[in-house]
Amino acid sequence: MVRAWLTAGVMDQGRLAPTQKGAPQGGVISPLLMNIALHGMETAVGVRYFTRSRGGIETAPEAPVLVRYADDLLALCHSREQAEQVKQRLAEWLRIRGLVFNEAKTQIVHVDQGCDFLGFNIRRYHGKLPLIKPSRDAVKRIRERLRTEMRALLGSNAASVMRTLTPIIRGWAAYYRSQVSSEVFSALDDYMWKLLYKWAKRTHPNKSRWWRMDRYFGRFNRSRNDRWVFGDKDTGAYLPKFAWTKIVRHAMVAGAASPDDPGLARYWADRRGKKHNGPLSVLLLAKLKAQRGRCPLCGTLLLHADRDPQSPLEWEQWLRGTRMAVSKLNIATGNSPDDQRLIHTACRTRTARPAAPALLLAASTPSGPA
């Protein structure tokens, strides 16, 4: 079916454009094709599972563990001999499918030395349990991103700074919140404070240090006893900090459970229901809870996703899309804020009569379903 689909051609404005071969590298269908081609890799490596007496599925004690994301993989083994055997098995298994290892990126390392995978660093410290932290390269990239954005914001006002940096901060923290990231978050907050003060100094070169700090820093977030929060006194808006993102451990998926298995629909629905709602503002989370997460016009869920965004950039795009949907339209706020409701933008456009004063929340974003 997939082979016929790939050669079926593309219809564009009534014209058929034939597809002579395959799909472009990096195309939207590439991850699916890679998962089809590499399905069964765990079995080839020798990964084995067993069911515990109290329920749940775990990897057999002496078996290797394989983690794969598209064409990137990480095999966790108990000895170097086992690691070499796993590599040999995989090389033979890939050869049959016309694939080979990229030797420049393939290496066998000890857990005490650690390795990077998908922006994380897996390493054992002081002979204890291994810890998973944001990698040095990932931290270096976000620091460069913040520094570049702040340079571009010279001459802008505080509102522009918050509008630009808030999705970046919340998106990066949302991606790394499932692992040991508290120390990195605090270090990034310290770096962010220095960038913000430098911005304030360049914006007001003739003002004193205390004037600048009093103008842009204060206890803007009333739920936290923090004097050094960047914000705007005129509007009360403030810039969130990395460390405000709560660490939420990732719940392992049971065995080989697939979201595409119709028999596991209840399992995945229950799993999504227990998940954190993401790095949204306190106001949005409170209103979502008050409305039980549903749109009052159509009765369906306001936020629903089959999967979380898979990278800091996707989280950033998800947050930008949500924020644009909330602030994009001018909303009459004649009543108290408690009378405002969250609704789908599509529901508002379909409603003939004007709805009550409401905040608008998108049902989907460029990075995937919201």
Side-chain angles (χ1 to χ4, degrees), residues 101-243:
F101 277 119
N102 184 340
E103 293 296 340
K105 298 181 179 179
T106 304
Q107 56 181 336
I108 298 177
V109 298
H110 195 276
V111 68
D112 290 345
Q113 178 183 349
C115 65
D116 292 345
F117 185 67
L118 301 179
F120 292 94
N121 178 263
I122 302 96
R123 179 184 170 191
R124 184 169 63 189
Y125 296 83
H126 312 297
K128 300 181 180 180
L129 289 175
L131 299 180
I132 305 177
K133 300 182 179 182
S135 67
R136 290 186 178 180
D137 289 340
V139 176
K140 181 179 179 181
R141 287 194 297 270
I142 186 61
R143 287 167 69 100
E144 291 177 350
R145 173 80 185 281
L146 294 172
R147 185 167 60 249
T148 301
E149 294 289 350
M150 289 302 297
R151 287 175 180 172
L153 286 167
L154 290 176
S156 302
N157 55 18
S160 298
V161 173
M162 291 181 286
R163 184 168 54 251
T164 301
L165 296 182
T166 295
I168 298 175
I169 293 174
R170 283 184 172 161
W172 198 89
Y175 180 73
Y176 289 99
R177 64 179 173 164
S178 61
Q179 305 302 332
V180 185
S181 305
S182 296
E183 185 178 344
V184 174
F185 286 173
S186 297
L188 287 173
D189 284 333
D190 179 69
Y191 181 70
M192 194 69 246
W193 189 93
K194 295 175 182 177
L195 292 178
L196 290 169
Y197 181 76
K198 182 182 290 186
W199 172 88
K201 186 176 180 180
R202 293 284 297 273
T203 304
H204 304 281
N206 297 325
K207 297 294 185 178
S208 67
R209 175 186 180 186
W210 299 109
W211 185 94
R212 300 186 197 107
M213 290 193 298
D214 184 64
R215 174 66 179 84
Y216 292 108
F217 296 92
R219 292 184 176 87
F220 291 98
N221 188 346
R222 297 182 180 180
S223 64
R224 297 180 179 273
N225 187 23
D226 191 344
R227 162 71 176 83
W228 304 108
V229 178
F230 181 87
D232 187 352
K233 289 188 175 181
D234 296 333
T235 62
Y238 56 85
L239 186 69
K241 293 189 175 184
F242 288 93

Side-chain angles (χ1 to χ4, degrees), residues 50-65:
F50 73 97
T51 303
R52 295 183 301 177
S53 58
R54 295 183 179 181
I57 301 176
E58 289 188 357
T59 309
E62 300 301 324
V65 176

